[in-house]
Amino acid sequence: MSTDNLNTPFMRALAAGIAANVPTLMWGGPGEIKTAFTENASKTWGRECKTIVGSTREAPDFLGVMVENNGTISYSTFNWVTELNDAAQGLLFLDEFNTAAPSTMKGMLRVVQERYVGDVKLNDSVAILAAANPVESAVDAYDLPAPMANRMMHLDWVFPEEFWLENIATDFKNVVYPQLSSLLTGDAVTRRANVAGAVTAYHKHNKGQLKPGVPTTDGQVDPVKAGKAWASPRSWSNVIAVLSQLEAHDEEAALLVLKGLVGNHAIAFIEWLKKADLHDPAEVIDNPSMVDWKNERPDRLFALVHGVAALGLSKPELWEKAALALTACAENGKADVATPSAAKLMNFRPAKAVMPLAFRDAFAPLFSKTMHTVSAAV
């Protein structure tokens, strides 16, 4: 059976959130199979799924309860936490998310961000997914508190109508779901170098977009806007993590990711990105001469050197190539731009990587000046 009808921008954005380990919240009307779809699809994804409904829980169900053991007080954990951590991969599914009592929601804050339940931390192999109905169609629901909303990627659930029509006659037995890996890029490390360079360059040259604050209306915090996606250093960090999982050409899914993490700042970033026409660090380290280092625009150059360094540090086999690319930047009169990235390469050189003499010579004076400045300050 084909899975093409599930290869949608929504599914790719959802898969990217799960793969990036960024807590993701699906918003959709009641009765649209969010829960059933998640619990069934998780089996194909090879993830042990544990569904927790916040409205039936209390804060201690997430914070744990104090227990004494040989005079030492600690917080207990729960079977579902142990089972998720023992699985090869897990999925914590927080259903009916915005119906949890406010006191319970406070207890869930640390679970969603720091990933602690009691004194036990969820393994990195455990992803967090949530589902919620809009306030107007849910029972005793409310707008999410701003701190919780900002921890999550918000996606509007897209009811898979063709999928439903195709499988309802067989009561959804023997359904084929797409593997998460089939929806994502095959090289998230290289992709991350591009995305991180783009995001940092955007904020370097567009001041005030990194932390504009909790959304307000007429000078007061707007609970509706604050309960969805809004920009902060945390959500921009999540942008890098999630977009790194998508193919570079997947603009539709990328738009959903950006809107789901930074809200109305998404369009401004996309428009800037199209105009910026940034270099691909992976191409540049293979051929540094393709860049006009002397005359390159500051924003393109800033993004490039950061992307080159990220690639060289993430893939040890590319460290020397990254060093030579930064050397070309320095030798063409832009050593000041490349120095922070060169310093990172120098400080975290892989054991087997050979430092090119040209790299050492190009940055030696600046490194020496930096060391002298630090010593003088001390």
Side-chain angles (χ1 to χ4, degrees):
M1 187 181 296
S2 173
T3 61
D4 290 346
N5 54 19
L6 291 179
N7 189 351
T8 63
F10 166 80
M11 279 300 301
R12 296 194 296 273
L14 177 63
I18 293 173
N21 248 358
V22 170
T24 300
L25 174 55
M26 303 182 294
W27 291 93
E32 295 185 1
I33 69 169
K34 299 185 295 297
T35 302
F37 184 91
T38 299
E39 292 177 340
N40 291 327
S42 64
K43 298 174 184 177
T44 297
W45 300 339
R47 290 182 176 267
E48 176 77 17
C49 182
K50 295 297 178 183
T51 301
I52 305 295
V53 180
S55 61
T56 66
R57 305 280 176 152
E58 297 180 352
D61 293 326
F62 298 98
L63 297 173
V65 294
M66 288 190 293
V67 293
E68 181 181 355
N69 184 17
N70 295 326
T72 300
I73 300 296
S74 61
Y75 284 91
S76 64
T77 190
F78 307 96
N79 286 339
W80 59 268
V81 177
T82 301
E83 291 170 359
L84 284 172
N85 278 346
D86 286 346
Q89 288 188 305
L91 181 68
L92 172 57
F93 183 48
L94 302 171
D95 206 2
E96 308 293 346
F97 190 60
N98 57 340
T99 65
S103 59
T104 305
M105 183 66 68
K106 291 178 182 178
M108 297 166 75
L109 279 170
R110 194 169 186 233
V111 179
V112 171
Q113 179 64 25
E114 287 82 16
R115 302 171 60 83
Y116 271 94
V117 184
D119 285 337
V120 176
K121 187 174 185 180
L122 292 171
N123 293 340
D124 290 342
S125 57
V126 179
I128 299 176
L129 184 61
N133 299 328
V135 173
E136 60 273 12
S137 62
V139 178
D140 294 332
Y142 55 92
D143 295 310
L144 292 180
M148 178 63 85
N150 192 243
R151 284 164 160 79
M152 313 191 84
M153 177 169 70
H154 301 254
L155 295 177
D156 289 332
W157 169 256
V158 178
F159 172 63
E161 184 171 343
E162 290 300 320
F163 170 81
W164 189 91
L165 291 171
E166 184 177 323
N167 293 287
I168 187 61
T170 57
D171 197 24
F172 295 93
K173 292 182 173 64
N174 303 314
V175 175
V176 177
Y177 296 89
Q179 293 287 346
L180 291 181
S181 58
S182 70
L183 303 172
L184 304 172
T185 180
D187 189 357
V189 173
T190 298
R191 179 80 177 115
R192 184 183 178 88
N194 291 57
V195 175
V199 170
T200 53
Y202 173 72
H203 289 295
K204 176 73 173 179
H205 297 88
N206 294 273
K207 300 297 184 182
Q209 305 303 304
L210 182 59
K211 50 183 185 69
V214 180
T216 60
T217 297
D218 298 329
Q220 301 294 321
V221 172
D222 187 321
V224 176
K225 294 179 180 177
K228 291 292 184 68
W230 49 276
S232 72
R234 173 170 51 206
S235 58
W236 279 110
S237 296
N238 286 339
V239 163
I240 295 174
V242 181
L243 288 186
S244 297
Q245 299 293 332
L246 294 173
E247 294 284 1
H249 59 76
D250 195 351
E251 296 180 357
E252 292 179 296
L255 178 59
L256 295 180
V257 167
L258 285 161
K259 286 184 175 180
L261 285 168
V262 295
N264 58 10
H265 289 261
I267 300 302
F269 175 72
I270 290 174
E271 291 178 348
W272 174 86
L273 191 59
K274 289 180 178 179
K275 293 177 182 178
D277 187 28
L278 301 178
H279 291 288
D280 184 341
E283 295 179 358
V284 171
I285 65 172
D286 279 337
N287 180 22
S289 64
M290 67 182 291
V291 179
D292 183 2
W293 299 97
K294 289 183 179 179
N295 302 306
E296 189 54 271
R297 290 195 334 254
D299 57 338
R300 293 183 87 196
L301 199 58
F302 183 88
L304 176 57
V305 296
H306 280 73
V308 164
L311 195 55
L313 292 171
S314 301
K315 292 190 171 185
E317 68 273 18
L318 297 180
W319 189 92
E320 292 173 44
K321 284 188 173 183
L324 289 173
L326 295 183
T327 299
C329 182
E331 290 177 344
N332 282 277
K334 299 297 177 69
D336 56 329
V337 178
T339 293
S341 296
K344 289 182 180 179
L345 285 182
M346 176 74 78
N347 291 335
F348 298 98
R349 177 162 60 105
K352 295 183 179 181
V354 177
M355 183 182 298
L357 292 177
F359 176 71
R360 185 194 62 188
D361 294 342
F363 293 103
L366 288 176
F367 284 148
S368 176
K369 180 180 178 180
T370 301
M371 293 299 294
H372 176 74
T373 301
V374 171
S375 299
V378 174

